[in-house]
Amino acid sequence: MRLPLASGVATGAVAIALYPLFQGGSWFWTSLGIILVVTGVGVLASRYTLPNWLAPLAQLVAVLIYLTAVFTGEQAWAKVVPTKESVVRLGELLSTGFTDIQRFAAPVPDSVGIVLLTCGGVGLIAILVDLLASRLRRAALTGLPLLALFTVPAAVVVEPISWPAFIIGALGYLALLVADGRERVSHWGRTVLVRRTPSFVAPRPATSDTGTLRLSGKRIGVTAIVLAVLLPSLLPTLEPDPLFGFGVGNGRGGGGNSVSIPNPIVNLRGQLSLPNNSTVLTYTISDSSPRYLRMYSLDTFDGDQWTMSEPRGRPEDRTSEGPMPPAVGQSASVPTTPATTKITVSEEVRGLSFLPLPYPATKVTVEGDWRPDRDTLMVFSTRDTAGGLSYEVTTAEPKPTAEALKTAGAAPAAINERYLALPENLPPAIKELAGQVTDQNASLYEKAIELQEFFTKDGGFTYSLATQGSSASALTDFLIRNRTGYCEQFASSMAVLARIVGIPARVAIGYTSGTNFAGEWQVRTHDSHAWPELYFEGTGWLRFEPTPTGGGGQGSATVPSYTRPEIAPTTTDEPSASPTSSSSGAELPGGPTANRGGRPLDPEFGGSLIPVDEGVPLIAKIGIGAAIVLLIALIPGMFRLELRARRRRAYSREIQASPDDADLQDPAAPGLTGVTSARTHRGEPAVSAAWSELDDALCDYGMSRQASESPRALARRLAEQYAFDAEATAAVTRIATVVERMLYARTPGEIGSLRADLHRVRRALAATVTRGRRIRAVLLPTSTLLRMRAMGGRLLDGFDRLENIRLRRPTRRNA
């Protein structure tokens, strides 16, 4: 019965890692109940030796009964036995659970459907673990289903898994392996426990030493867990984001050389489809003209998705050091509209490492270590987050004329190489479409206008969140077949078509301008948006808007004035939509609760880790890691020095008899006035400290002391074997004499300071060994390492004591 119990414990321990996915705790208690049901059936199957194939079937039946009783008891017979109506209701709840997962962002509310889905999944994992461990005796293979359960939060939640959750899950798996090992080793024979006392060690019985095997396995397991937790934090260049969120590379604050962001496109639909339209930030602007707020700039299209190249935040470019780098491609001859925007991000925003900013920013005044990427002017931090920040942004937005854009020169080769790149497997139908909707003799600016009008007027596109996929086939479906999607499809598709016709393009992710309330603009979750940015030499990057606006599209989206050449360009865009309802609990697209459960354009659920080059040389990173490793390696030596200093304080004192000891003087020796009786033990701490220090010195220098060797015999052997001089011989003899008097004499006499004697003996011992041995005695003292090993052994012995606990009924006594 040991294995079924261990299987249940392992499943429950790993299931704890699911807690970041839920807002409440009902999922945990229902999942705990189903684990207990599966474990109970497994125990009974082992107790009554049911066939291996029958136990999982019995557990499945028990799981069905449990789910029926908890979730559909009203439709069941006697609220327990499944009926046709209860089974149908379970199916409906499962379907609702799948729908809710697509609607909500983690942490999701613990609705009935979601809890049922979670509980059923945990129950199936528990059955599989019990099958592998208890029926097939393949305990090691249980790591696969347990790992599958463990990786669910790792793949869904942006925040890293906490190290306590990892350790609990790992210990549960180790407990299962230990139980399996005990089960196998127990077939060798009965284990005999040996009780140790300080004065006597019982003879070891002539049976198999199963305890040693179990202890070795535990040492290996505990060592593996410690390394898994500590190693990522000690190697800053090994991984951009350690599993448990501490160390050099976590990117969420507290120091680091990487910044962790979720995939921006993945989160758009999650934000747009959230039930609550929560305020995420507010801003005021000096010229009263609203502007889009950009966070991410995606420049790479691989045929399936748009992704971000590695941002580079140089130390000299910190926002606190002065103005921002100049906007790429923007000429001084192009007129600009200066404006100052004051932005306040909601305190409820969590985990956002990029600032929402109007483009292009010339200066950002913000607290913390924030740095711009020179190519895109994205502003990010590896140490701080945007939640609760208030900052000021100065912009110089270009005010181009239609004529200037029509006559714009060719883009630099570096811009074309980066922003015209397309995958080789791009469907020919999409290339043909780009040629059909644009005039080959038109300028690049005129082609951009034609592309925008293709999406907003001529192409017959409709706005809808009910869309999925961004593979090459999904792109073809959107552009050629159904022509239905939301802002991400519109922005991505226009950027692809623009590159086909020779216009450098990228995709921006952020927010529309929001809604004006009494002079203050409020930006909410439903204002999350994607739009294309197209490059024109002399003007730089300009925003275009292919997504339908107003009530039939994304309500707060606006069409830039420079995309309407028949109207004189102004700085004011089209008015935004009317106010919408608001609520609390805001989340930014890059926040940790972004929706990964929906089926957005991206083929991968989850985010990406973007390493950031902060200008720290590789040799400096290696040096930091080496310094940390060195400090850890010095722990035994520092512990040894501290222990030696503590002992020195004890054996350096001179122990004198006190007047209170007069009644304890030896009556047979009245002339020994002032000599302390051995029964007072006043000098015992000092003598014990000196003897322990001598014993540790011998151990550190690779010398031994025989267990049966008396102090006097040890002193004589050391003096003869290592050729002590007269002073060292006298010193070790005095130490041995004091120890023997303290151990055996009734009146050991006055004890002077042993510091000088012990110092001479240590020097004499050190002179007999090599220099390498002396260095090792200081840095890696053997005596300290043995103590640490013994401490670990005692800790692991505690597990054995817990395993040997047996609950028995008290024996009745006959009257």
Side-chain angles (χ1 to χ4, degrees), residues 31 70 95 266 298 327 451 589 599 618 651 679 685 760 763 770:
S31 299
V70 174
S95 177
V266 167
L298 314 183
L451 289 176
R599 293 177 293 181
L618 178 61
Y651 62 67
R679 295 178 181 176
R760 292 191 184 95
R763 291 186 58 184
T770 63

Side-chain angles (χ1 to χ4, degrees), residues 1-8 38-39 41-43 45-46 50-52 55-56 59 126-140 142 176 179-180 183-184:
M1 295 187 296
R2 182 184 295 117
L3 286 177
L5 291 174
S7 300
V38 173
T39 302
V41 175
V43 170
S46 299
L50 294 181
N52 289 339
Q59 289 171 331
I127 294 175
L128 186 56
V129 170
D130 182 80
L131 173 64
L132 293 173
S134 306
R135 316 303 155 197
L136 304 181
R137 295 300 175 88
R138 296 292 186 268
T142 60
L176 178 57
D180 179 70
E183 190 74 16
R184 294 175 184 274

Side-chain angles (χ1 to χ4, degrees), residues 23 38 80 176 433 455 474 689 713 744:
Q23 294 179 359
V38 173
V80 175
L176 178 57
L433 177 65
F455 289 100
Y744 308 118

Side-chain angles (χ1 to χ4, degrees), residues 72-94:
T72 60
E74 297 298 329
Q75 290 80 22
W77 184 70
K79 295 188 176 182
V80 175
V81 180
T83 61
K84 179 180 178 180
E85 292 77 10
S86 66
V87 173
V88 171
R89 179 56 180 164
L90 281 177
E92 294 174 353
L93 291 177
L94 287 175

